[in-house]
Amino acid sequence: MSLSIFLELLLILSSLAQVSSSIHTRYTFQQCLSTIRTPGTLFTPKDPNYTLLLNSTAENLRCITPSNPKPQVIFTPLNEHHIQTAVICAKKLKIQLRFRSGGHDYEGISYTSAMDPPFVLIDLSKMRAINVDLDDSSVWVEAGATVGELYYRVAEKSKTHGVVGGLCTSLGVGGHFTGGAYGSMMRKYGLGVDNALDAKIVNARGEILDRKSMGEDVFWAIRGGGGGSYGVIVSWKLKLVSVPDTVTVFSVPRTLEQGATKILYKWQHVAPHIDDNLFMRVLIQNVNLPNTTKRTITTTYNALFLGGVDRLLQVTNQSFPELGLAKTDCFEMSWLESVMFIAGFPKTVPTTFLLTAKPAFLNYFKAKSDFVRTPIPKKGMEGIWKRFLQEETPFMIWNPYGGMMGRISESSTPFPHRNGVLFKIQYVNSWIVDDKEAMKKHYKWIRKLYKYMGEYVSKDPREAYVNYRDLDLGMNDKNGDNTSVVKASAWGRRYFKDNFRRLVKVKTEFDPDNFFRHEQSIPLAF
């Protein structure tokens, strides 16, 4: 037999083995779950609704292209006991599990896999109960609910209570809070995890644990240590915070021709130190100048102030007159309406849209993150503008820190980016077609920008935000079993700094078989 024929035969046999393994995975997992006997909860690739369900909450379209590995089975549990059964079955059958609550996962690891398939997806979208308790100033919310639904149900009960959480309203509660959960009230109240009171989690033995039974170490780890490493989050209990009857918002653009560089340079010195009630982020992108083909950079100051317009203008006129904020730029509204404004919805969209749980924007994208501890000089910003004008649709968001974020210790939760951080940068490069060459081109651009920014951002480690997961920083070994702590530190220290060591210790004690694992899950200590 010739070498070429032999290699071709090996390839065919390998393919057949994979097909056989996939069929076996589907059959045995379905067999094991047969005790649940609930129709409409199990979907295989042969089911007509499989693709619709798989794609339903996938925000990053590059993660659901035909070349991406797909789950052998999608299971949509209706309650925590269904999750218990799924975990017990998967562990017994040695099947890899992925868990999805909202689908905002930037690298899609909650519903696809770059590790060895086959795998099963536990989609939590049918678990979205929300129980608001004003007497206790708390709310229990299941993992499959979105933060938009959560905000709406709280506001439905009280106009003077809110929840600390994300700015994108289609974020799933389960995964969002495992990474920290920052939002427009972070400078006033800290992160979502700083306001988490309790949680329910299913461990690798299929047990449902609350804060008391999981222990304080595990409760610490799941509040910012990233999703998918310790168990399946079933629900969170969150503290309700006070919000005024009336809040004020604005969204003010400034182009290079209007002095954007000078204004943004001043913003870096002001935004982290201004009144705690003011969250003023900056959205940066390319635009065409009106009635021309010439492109420029626009910096849009998108803000929430927990108070009325008159007080807001006092604050900005005193601390940030360079912005030139006018009363006509500002809009007073309820806190719930401000959620819609900050998320970018037109004023004509009613707040009831939050109950649809639909993502507002879908595209192919690659994202990265940085934390800035010293102001970026004007020369550095000019280098950013030069690179932006060479690309099609680049986007950056600068989110201010300071306030309460600087008063909580780095070790209080796994999220370590606290005192001394001026702002966080999110880089996004997007495209609209499923094309490999386009992806390579846009990947190359964002990686070059990230390299350029290394001079101006945090160092040793160069910090990154775990909820903007970036597989460029490194990955676990294919099977997830043999990754060393040293190797995993390449991304672990960027996400968690010195808290990474404690996360490893908790992981080793709580999930010693490393059942819950993915491309950047916390490794075992040995």
Side-chain angles (χ1 to χ4, degrees):
M1 183 185 297
S2 70
L3 179 61
S4 61
I5 295 175
F6 177 71
L7 290 175
E8 187 175 345
L9 181 60
L10 276 181
L11 183 62
I12 292 170
L13 290 173
S14 175
S15 299
L16 287 173
Q18 287 180 6
V19 171
S20 174
S21 175
S22 297
I23 294 171
H24 178 70
T25 298
R26 295 174 201 166
Y27 179 70
T28 54
F29 190 72
Q30 287 176 280
Q31 266 194 320
C32 191
L33 286 182
S34 62
T35 56
I36 292 177
R37 301 184 186 281
T38 303
T41 57
L42 273 173
F43 302 83
T44 71
K46 291 184 178 180
D47 294 314
N49 291 325
Y50 171 89
T51 300
L52 185 65
L53 177 59
L54 177 63
N55 297 352
S56 61
T57 61
E59 190 194 42
N60 193 346
L61 297 180
R62 71 174 171 84
C63 299
I64 53 172
T65 61
S67 61
N68 284 91
K70 307 293 190 294
Q72 297 302 311
V73 178
I74 302 176
F75 178 51
T76 56
L78 304 180
N79 55 56
E80 58 192 21
H81 303 298
H82 286 179
I83 299 174
Q84 284 182 288
T85 304
V87 169
I88 291 169
C89 286
K91 189 168 186 185
K92 176 183 176 183
L93 299 169
K94 298 183 179 179
I95 294 172
Q96 192 181 124
L97 288 181
R98 295 295 163 108
F99 312 99
R100 180 171 73 178
S101 56
H104 273 244
D105 185 349
Y106 278 15
E107 297 282 12
I109 63 172
S110 59
Y111 50 92
T112 186
S113 174
M115 299 170 76
D116 286 335
F119 68 98
V120 168
L121 167 60
I122 310 298
D123 185 293
L124 299 166
S125 58
K126 293 182 180 178
M127 294 184 59
R128 50 199 330 127
I130 300 169
N131 182 23
V132 180
D133 187 344
L134 295 181
D135 293 332
D136 187 47
S137 293
S138 67
V139 55
W140 271 104
V141 54
E142 286 189 322
T146 65
V147 294
E149 291 176 287
L150 173 61
Y151 297 156
Y152 187 92
R153 293 307 181 195
V154 170
E156 191 176 44
K157 296 282 187 180
S158 168
K159 305 303 180 189
T160 57
H161 287 86
V163 182
V164 179
L167 296 91
C168 295
T169 57
S170 56
L171 286 162
V173 164
H176 177 50
F177 283 84
T178 61
Y182 82 90
S184 57
M185 294 199 291
M186 61 188 283
R187 301 190 66 254
K188 178 73 172 181
Y189 293 114
L191 302 174
V193 292
D194 298 325
N195 294 276
L197 302 172
D198 204 341
K200 287 188 178 180
I201 185 174
V202 176
N203 68 4
R205 293 188 294 274
E207 300 166 328
I208 302 172
L209 308 175
D210 60 9
R211 179 174 182 172
K212 182 177 180 181
S213 52
M214 76 175 80
E216 286 302 304
D217 281 345
V218 178
F219 187 62
W220 173 86
I222 63 175
R223 288 180 297 139
S229 287
Y230 297 94
V232 191
I233 299 294
V234 176
S235 55
W236 288 98
K237 183 182 183 181
L238 307 168
K239 181 167 66 177
L240 300 180
V241 299
S242 297
V243 296
D245 282 319
T246 300
V247 302
T248 307
V249 297
F250 63 85
S251 195
V252 176
R254 295 289 184 262
T255 64
L256 295 182
E257 290 72 17
Q258 295 170 318
T261 304
K262 181 180 178 181
I263 297 169
L264 187 57
Y265 181 73
K266 181 62 182 293
W267 174 91
Q268 296 181 79
H269 294 80
V270 171
H273 308 292
I274 208 164
D275 190 312
D276 289 3
N277 292 296
L278 178 57
F279 173 85
M280 182 171 45
R281 65 176 180 163
V282 187
L283 315 178
I284 304 171
Q285 56 195 321
N286 290 344
V287 295
N288 281 344
L289 285 170
N291 304 315
T292 74
T293 57
K294 182 183 177 183
R295 294 207 300 171
T296 188
I297 304 294
T298 184
T299 56
T300 300
Y301 294 81
N302 179 241
L304 167 67
F305 181 70
L306 298 172
V309 64
D310 292 336
R311 174 59 186 151
L312 168 61
L313 290 172
Q314 288 177 4
V315 170
T316 56
N317 289 339
Q318 179 181 347
S319 300
F320 196 24
E322 292 82 0
L323 182 59
L325 186 68
K327 194 165 188 175
T328 53
D329 297 320
C330 305
F331 304 94
E332 292 186 328
M333 57 184 63
S334 70
W335 173 73
L336 187 64
E337 289 170 330
S338 80
V339 167
M340 300 288 288
F341 183 91
I342 295 294
F345 291 104
K347 292 180 185 177
T348 53
V349 179
T351 56
T352 50
F353 181 82
L354 297 173
L355 298 178
T356 67
K358 298 293 184 183
F361 310 102
L362 292 173
N363 53 28
Y364 301 85
F365 70 87
K366 173 64 180 176
K368 291 180 171 292
S369 60
D370 264 317
F371 289 85
V372 178
R373 292 178 175 270
T374 56
I376 299 173
K378 292 176 185 176
K379 180 182 177 183
M381 288 191 283
E382 288 165 357
I384 299 173
W385 311 154
K386 177 182 176 182
R387 287 160 175 79
F388 256 54
L389 292 171
Q390 295 169 351
E391 184 59 335
E392 295 168 18
T393 54
F395 189 53
M396 294 174 81
I397 304 176
W398 292 15
N399 285 290
Y401 274 54
M404 181 59 75
M405 290 298 294
R407 295 192 283 272
I408 299 174
S409 78
E410 287 192 357
S411 60
S412 63
T413 71
F415 183 96
H417 320 289
R418 302 284 189 171
N419 188 38
V421 172
L422 300 179
F423 58 97
K424 175 179 62 192
I425 297 177
Q426 177 179 187
Y427 311 88
V428 182
N429 202 14
S430 61
W431 55 99
I432 59 174
V433 293
D434 177 19
D435 180 83
K436 287 185 178 179
E437 291 305 312
M439 188 175 81
K440 287 179 183 177
K441 173 179 177 287
H442 298 304
Y443 262 59
K444 182 178 180 180
W445 181 87
I446 197 170
R447 286 166 174 162
K448 286 179 71 175
L449 176 65
Y450 184 74
K451 183 178 180 181
Y452 166 77
M453 292 297 293
E455 179 181 349
Y456 304 109
V457 299
S458 61
K459 298 174 181 63
D460 193 29
R462 182 174 180 176
E463 299 167 59
Y465 180 38
V466 69
N467 268 3
Y468 297 158
R469 199 176 290 282
D470 180 6
L471 295 184
D472 285 355
L473 303 180
M475 286 175 50
N476 281 316
D477 297 331
K478 275 284 186 180
N479 61 13
D481 289 334
N482 303 314
T483 304
S484 69
V485 173
V486 172
K487 179 178 178 180
S489 294
W491 65 88
R493 288 200 67 245
R494 289 175 182 246
Y495 292 146
F496 310 115
K497 298 178 70 175
D498 289 344
N499 294 331
F500 179 61
R501 285 175 288 186
R502 184 177 174 189
L503 287 170
V504 170
K505 182 175 184 293
V506 176
K507 167 73 173 180
T508 305
E509 293 172 354
F510 191 66
D511 182 22
D513 296 327
N514 199 22
F515 175 67
F516 296 106
R517 60 185 185 271
H518 56 70
E519 285 76 1
Q520 288 186 341
S521 56
I522 303 296
L524 300 179
F526 44 81

